[in-house]
Amino acid sequence: MKPREHNPRRLDVEHFAAEGGFLAGDWPLAELTRLCDSCHVAPGPNAPDRVRWSARGEQRRQAGQTAHAWLRLTLDANVDLTCQRCLSAVTVALAVDRWFHFVEGEERAAALDAETEADVLASSRMLDLRELAEDELLLALPLVARHEVCPQPLAAPIGTGDQPGDPTPAESPFAALASLKRMPH
């Protein structure tokens, strides 16, 4: 019997896992619009940036229970984020390697998710693997993107007086308060 063709945009996870299915490919980064919203400059439709992905399904049985579907998702992408020091683009490599355990019903998924370290999701008739991949890449983004060493030297704040010819530092507003405090009443 020939295994069925699986569509990553409408994946029947139960059948995919039962067959021990494997899918791999790449998606243009520009098609992941929520991820592109986090980028320094959103890539155009013909940008060479790609998200490489693979998915493997399997069924696992626990003692005395029915088999459950599991899905391993791996992702690799390079995205340009905004460096929080120099505000120019910094390329960040994102890598995800995660297993998902699929169970019947939202309540069961929530209960198991609270008890176990595994990522537990409720089974649905069709799963959009690209949408799940985008969610995982968004979660993999760093909290603060920055270069190890910024490509241009950072500009010193005006009025630091650190360099010859720099204006003298501005007077502190607290120094003005201190002088008022010393004034006779």
Side-chain angles (χ1 to χ4, degrees):
M1 181 176 184
K2 182 180 169 190
R4 73 169 43 181
E5 294 250 344
H6 296 284
N7 178 350
R9 298 299 310 271
R10 295 182 45 79
L11 186 64
D12 184 334
V13 176
E14 296 296 328
H15 283 104
F16 185 69
E19 293 174 2
F22 178 79
L23 292 169
D26 58 27
W27 290 305
L29 184 60
E31 290 180 6
L32 305 178
T33 56
R34 291 179 297 136
L35 182 61
C36 287
D37 288 346
S38 297
C39 292
H40 182 72
V41 174
N46 299 322
D49 299 320
R50 313 286 292 171
V51 175
R52 288 161 304 288
W53 63 271
S54 69
R56 177 174 307 281
E58 67 179 53
Q59 283 191 327
R60 295 184 190 170
R61 229 179 258 289
Q62 293 178 335
Q65 295 184 359
T66 60
H68 288 189
W70 286 75
L71 177 80
R72 181 181 185 189
L73 179 64
T74 60
L75 305 162
D76 287 297
N78 290 317
V79 294
D80 287 335
L81 302 176
T82 302
C83 173
Q84 296 302 301
R85 269 189 242 162
C86 68
L87 302 179
S88 64
V90 57
T91 301
V92 175
L94 302 177
V96 174
D97 187 350
R98 184 149 309 164
W99 279 98
F100 297 94
H101 178 192
F102 288 86
V103 296
E104 286 295 323
E106 294 287 338
E107 295 83 25
R108 178 143 167 76
L112 275 176
D113 197 39
E115 303 174 359
T116 179
E117 301 258 338
D119 290 315
V120 182
L121 298 176
S123 289
S124 62
R125 184 74 185 127
M126 296 295 160
L127 173 72
D128 185 341
L129 197 56
R130 189 171 79 180
E131 192 173 296
L132 178 63
E134 186 173 19
D135 290 345
E136 292 304 312
L137 289 168
L138 285 166
L139 290 170
L141 289 174
L143 291 176
V144 177
R146 61 178 178 233
H147 295 101
E148 285 292 320
V149 175
C150 291
Q152 291 102 2
L154 300 178
I158 295 175
T160 59
D162 292 343
Q163 301 294 324
D166 276 356
T168 57
E171 187 175 324
S172 164
F174 296 107
L177 286 173
S179 68
L180 288 173
K181 196 173 175 184
R182 285 182 289 224
M183 292 179 72
H185 298 289

